């Protein structure tokens, strides 16, 4: 008897992670079927995906875009088009779905990702902002609904691969002493500090090693991405922030490491290509082909490491501060960052204003215990309003 195909939903299919996921899936038609895909407004890209991969459902979060897509696909299409936020939750939690790739960018990804968690799916988590803003609650729901959370962020996927399978019983009891979270340092690792004010969005999104969507590319340039990843690691692996060390590693070949009490340090290495963590999570616990070129260490020849400089990258300090303050402060940090990055991408504020706006927002908006979703969403909104006002000053 042949095994039933594993049904996959991709939230954020038109994005950088979404496209890489489609690439890996298309290498394994005997294993996976595409149940549903989603996007926001990019109708033409979605049309292409539907024509090439014939998912059962295509959801456009933007309702007007759903109507246009439906028209373009025509009545004979095998894909049913839906629109709006509720449809995102529907395709994330449908009974027929096995795995959900959560690859919407930003806080808007929280509710559909939570819907997948609450339906007990395999949740392949790229959307780090969802975990950053509601970490405690998110992990509680994962346990309560027996969902399987598989990290896609390359660092967290690397850590996941370097940990023993029974790590949820507690890292200390497994002999883990430290997590070494690596980061390339982005395009401005060595730029003189007096030139930071003149950085343009075009320079900021040109990452030296990774090809990614615009928001995470700017986050990498400010190193807020590493700050968000620090928070992500604390929640995913239940470790205090003191046990997570950020290590600059400009080649992006080691994707993170785990240190043990016998002095061993395990590292996961590979090309900087997101298809590796995506294939790791899709195939887990088995290994499947990803399409990524083999790593040639002779060609790489050098692996360098350095400490991260919080003067150059104040967002790292702000992320550590948000963890210390706890509760909804992490949602406030995340929301202020989203607003500031959008504003920078729209050429409205200077690069150095991003960290300043986040810091002011964290000082102006009161945080609360984050034990209920309503409070988190309220504080997220308050932070957005505050940060927006600051960008207009
Ligand atoms: P992209 O900007 O490339 O793609 C974002 C996706 O989200 C698109 O499909 C977009 O649809 C959709 N989207 C945007 N806004 C909304 C909305 N309001 N409602 C519903 N859908 C929306 O981002 P990335 O693929 O780079 O990143 C996705 C997530 O993965 C982020 O959280 C990022 O931090 C994380 N990540 C990404 C990595 C990478 O290499 N790119 C690495 C590690 C983590 P549309 O095209 O229609 O706008
Ligand atoms: Mg990462």
């Amino acid at each position: 008897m042949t095994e039933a195909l594993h049904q996959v939903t991709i939230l954020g299919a038109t994005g950088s992670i979404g496209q890489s996921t489609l690439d890996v899936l298309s290498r394994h038609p005997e294993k996976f079927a595409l149940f549903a895909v989603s996007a926001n407004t990019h109708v033409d890209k979605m049309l292409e995906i539907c024509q090439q991969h014939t998912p059962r459902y295509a959801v456009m979060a933007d309702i007007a875009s759903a109507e246009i897509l439906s028209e373009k696909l025509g009545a004979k299409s095998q894909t049913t088009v839906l629109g709006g936020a509720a449809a995102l939750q529907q395709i994330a939690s449908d009974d027929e779905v096995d795995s959900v790739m959560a690859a919407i960018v930003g806080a808007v990804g929280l509710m559909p990702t939570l819907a997948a968690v609450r339906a007990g799916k395999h949740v392949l988590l790229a959307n780090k902002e969802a975990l950053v803003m509601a970490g405690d609650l998110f992990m509680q729901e994962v346990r309560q609904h027996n969902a399987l959370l598989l990290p896609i962020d390359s660092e967290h996927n690397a850590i996941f691969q370097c940990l023993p399978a029974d790590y949820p019983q507690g890292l200390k009891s497994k002999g883990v002493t430290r997590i070494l979270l690596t980061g390339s340092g982005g395009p401005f690792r060595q730029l003189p500090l007096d030139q930071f004010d003149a950085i343009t969005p075009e320079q900021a999104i040109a990452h030296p090693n990774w090809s990614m969507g615009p928001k995470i590319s700017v986050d990498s340039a400010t190193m807020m991405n590493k700050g968000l990843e620090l928070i992500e690691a604390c929640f995913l692996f239940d470790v205090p922030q003191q046990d997570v060390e950020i290590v600059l590693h400009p080649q992006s070949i080691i994707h993170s490491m785990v240190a043990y009490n016998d002095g061993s340090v395990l590292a996961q290495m590979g090309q900087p290509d997101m298809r590796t963590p995506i294939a790791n999570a899709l195939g887990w616990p088995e290994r499947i082909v990803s399409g990524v070129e083999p790593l040639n260490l002779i060609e790489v020849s050098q692996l360098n490491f350095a400490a991260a400089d919080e003067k150059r990258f104040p967002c790292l300090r702000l992320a550590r501060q948000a963890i210390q303050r706890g509760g909804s402060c992490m949602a406030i940090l995340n929301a202020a960052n989203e607003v500031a990055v959008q504003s920078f991408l729209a050429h409205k504020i200077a690069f150095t204003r991003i960290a300043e706006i986040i810091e002011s927002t964290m000082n102006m908006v009161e945080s609360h215990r984050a034990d209920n979703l309503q409070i988190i969403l309220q504080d997220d909104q308050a932070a957005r309003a505050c940060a927006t006002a600051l960008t207009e000053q």
Side-chain angles (χ1 to χ4, degrees), residues 7 9 35-36 56-57 82 87-100 115-116 119 121:
Q7 299 285 333
T9 284
F35 181 79
R56 296 252 295 278
Y57 294 94
L82 303 169
L88 290 177
Q89 297 188 34
Q90 196 181 318
I91 58 167
S93 59
D94 192 288
D95 278 348
E96 287 190 46
V97 173
D98 300 299
S99 289
V100 176
K121 304 298 185 196

Side-chain angles (χ1 to χ4, degrees), residues 128 153-156 216 225-226 229:
K128 65 191 85 180
D153 215 342
S154 57
E155 295 76 4
H156 306 74
I216 183 175
N225 184 46
K226 217 44 61 184
E229 290 183 356

Side-chain angles (χ1 to χ4, degrees), residues 35-347:
F35 181 79
V37 286
S38 86
N40 187 25
T41 55
H42 281 115
V43 171
D44 286 340
K45 226 171 181 179
M46 188 57 127
L47 182 65
E48 228 175 82
I49 292 172
C50 292
Q51 285 164 344
Q52 235 178 60
H53 301 273
T54 52
R56 296 252 295 278
Y57 294 94
V59 174
M60 302 302 290
D62 176 63
I63 295 193
S65 300
E67 280 165 19
I68 302 171
L69 177 67
S70 181
E71 245 168 62
K72 289 198 175 187
L73 271 173
K76 287 198 190 122
S77 167
Q78 293 171 39
T79 301
T80 303
V81 178
L82 303 169
L88 290 177
Q89 297 188 34
Q90 196 181 318
I91 58 167
S93 59
D94 192 288
D95 278 348
E96 287 190 46
V97 173
D98 300 299
S99 289
V100 176
M101 167 58 77
I104 291 176
V105 60
V108 285
L110 176 64
M111 295 315 291
T113 306
L114 265 186
V117 166
R118 287 171 176 159
K121 304 298 185 196
H122 289 196
V123 180
L124 284 57
L125 186 72
N127 180 209
K128 65 191 85 180
E129 297 91 345
L131 195 63
V132 166
M133 71 187 289
D136 275 328
L137 214 108
F138 193 102
M139 295 308 291
Q140 208 177 299
E141 299 265 10
V142 166
R143 287 185 292 271
Q144 187 180 338
H145 299 282
N146 228 353
L148 176 66
L149 194 55
L150 294 159
I152 292 298
D153 215 342
S154 57
E155 295 76 4
H156 306 74
N157 185 266
I159 295 162
F160 176 74
Q161 292 194 48
C162 295
L163 286 172
D166 53 358
Y167 77 84
Q169 292 171 10
L171 297 197
K172 278 266 158 358
S173 70
K174 301 292 155 199
V176 173
T177 53
R178 251 175 336 144
I179 284 178
L180 303 168
L181 185 68
T182 55
S184 70
F188 310 129
R189 189 171 50 89
Q190 292 174 316
L191 188 77
L193 283 178
D194 60 2
Q195 292 179 26
F196 267 53
D197 259 339
I199 290 171
T200 65
E202 293 70 27
Q203 291 168 324
I205 59 177
H207 195 280
N209 304 342
W210 296 94
S211 155
M212 311 180 284
K215 191 262 178 183
I216 183 175
S217 297
V218 176
D219 285 348
S220 299
T222 60
M223 282 201 81
M224 179 53 95
N225 184 46
K226 217 44 61 184
L228 298 178
E229 290 183 356
L230 169 68
I231 301 174
E232 188 184 6
C234 292
F235 284 124
L236 274 178
F237 305 115
D238 194 20
V239 283
Q241 62 157 318
Q242 310 82 264
D243 292 352
V244 184
E245 189 182 333
I246 295 173
V247 179
L248 290 195
H249 165 50
Q251 291 88 359
S252 301
I253 295 295
I254 291 181
H255 299 304
S256 278
M257 296 171 261
V258 176
Y260 287 86
N261 55 8
D262 61 0
S264 301
V265 176
L266 302 193
Q268 187 264 350
M269 292 194 270
Q271 302 278 8
D273 186 323
M274 289 308 292
R275 289 177 299 174
T276 295
I278 291 168
N280 176 263
L282 275 173
W284 193 87
E286 276 154 35
R287 297 274 176 178
I288 60 169
V289 166
S290 65
V292 174
E293 289 287 305
L295 180 63
N296 182 335
L297 279 173
I298 310 283
E299 239 166 55
V300 174
S301 100
Q302 279 199 27
L303 300 176
N304 298 99
F305 305 97
D309 173 1
E310 291 192 0
K311 258 219 188 81
R312 176 174 288 270
F313 299 114
C315 287
L316 287 176
R317 173 176 55 80
L318 296 176
R320 288 211 181 266
Q321 213 173 76
I323 301 175
Q324 260 157 23
R325 291 190 193 171
S328 64
C329 196
M330 287 165 275
I332 292 169
L333 166 103
N334 177 65
N337 180 54
E338 285 187 24
V339 169
V341 169
Q342 279 317 316
S343 182
F344 168 70
L345 282 169
H347 296 266

